[in-house]
Amino acid sequence: MKTSMTHLFVTVLLVAAHTAFAETNMLQDLCVADLKGAKVNGYACKDPSQITPEDFYYIGLAAPADTSNTAMGSAITAGNVEKIPGLNMMGTSMSRIDYAPGGLNPPHLHPRASEAIFVLEGRLFVGFLTTTGKLISKHINKGDVFVFPRALLHFQQNPNNAPASVIAAFDSQNPGTQSVGPSLFGANPPIPDDLLAKAFGVEPQVIQKVKGKFPAKK
């Protein structure tokens, strides 16, 4: 009896695991996002009769973005499910990042995706940090590819006197981005000054000064 119950328990677990895995796959040809509908861990499917070619098309990555009015000298143009509804349930998206001379895409992470960048123009210094604190970095040139593992802090810097740009690919339709500076110093409600001061080994007055550079998120 005990053996039979054990077999039954294992069988139920295997069936549950198989079902959970199967339900992560598409059960139809496509599921164009209904951007105006309810959102529960993603978008519901648009009425198939309302689907158009424009749901799968986006011209936004074709031209460089203006970097002149950005604090870091970089501009990101997203090509995710919110811009291309046809990406819904496909587990992929793209972005274009443009860098002014000396521009920086500061340390950040993508909680839901790994990232691969392809250099369109220019030369960049890029890298990521492992959870043990090891820096993996390299100077990359036009035509090169570099990969950032999921959820690890990474950055790109243009240390040159000419503009640079990349196309980034993600294994998520909506990878998400969390930047270190704005997240820590622009949180809403704010993280207490004494907590951050102790964490960084500085005086609270220093934290207050840094917070002044990052307006609180709304």
Side-chain angles (χ1 to χ4, degrees):
M1 181 66 177
K2 183 177 180 181
T3 301
S4 297
M5 291 299 295
T6 301
H7 288 168
L8 177 62
F9 180 69
V10 171
T11 300
V12 170
L13 285 179
L14 289 174
V15 170
H18 175 76
T19 301
F21 176 77
E23 290 181 350
T24 65
N25 296 321
M26 289 280 283
L27 301 178
Q28 55 201 44
D29 291 341
L30 45 85
C31 176
V32 174
D34 180 1
L35 301 180
K36 297 180 180 179
K39 184 178 180 183
V40 181
N41 195 32
Y43 291 98
C45 300
K46 186 177 181 179
D47 183 343
S49 67
Q50 301 299 314
I51 293 173
T52 72
E54 303 306 309
D55 290 321
F56 302 87
Y57 173 80
Y58 184 55
I59 198 173
L61 307 186
D66 183 11
T67 60
S68 61
N69 294 320
T70 62
M72 296 293 172
S74 66
I76 301 172
T77 306
N80 56 26
V81 67
E82 295 173 353
K83 299 294 181 64
I84 313 173
L87 287 176
N88 197 36
M89 300 296 292
M90 291 189 181
T92 187
S93 60
M94 301 174 70
S95 291
R96 176 180 178 133
I97 311 171
D98 294 290
Y99 314 83
L104 171 69
N105 189 10
H108 63 282
L109 59 86
H110 303 291
R112 297 183 289 274
S114 299
E115 176 183 4
I117 60 171
F118 173 80
V119 183
L120 294 173
E121 294 291 343
R123 187 169 185 263
L124 296 169
F125 176 61
V126 303
F128 64 87
L129 283 167
T130 69
T131 55
T132 62
K134 182 176 182 179
L135 174 63
I136 309 293
S137 63
K138 187 174 180 63
H139 286 90
I140 57 176
N141 303 290
K142 181 177 179 178
D144 290 348
V145 171
F146 196 85
V147 176
F148 305 105
R150 179 191 299 263
L152 292 187
L153 283 172
H154 59 282
F155 61 85
Q156 304 106 34
Q157 180 188 38
N158 178 12
N160 307 293
N161 295 321
S165 58
V166 305
I167 290 291
F170 303 92
D171 60 344
S172 170
Q173 66 188 39
N174 192 10
T177 300
Q178 187 171 38
S179 297
V180 174
S183 294
L184 289 175
F185 301 106
N188 184 22
I191 300 174
D193 292 348
D194 61 333
L195 187 156
L196 290 173
K198 186 172 184 178
F200 287 96
V202 297
E203 295 298 321
Q205 294 87 341
V206 175
I207 297 299
Q208 293 171 7
K209 185 175 181 180
V210 175
K211 281 186 174 180
K213 299 180 182 294
F214 296 96
K217 297 179 179 180
K218 296 181 179 180

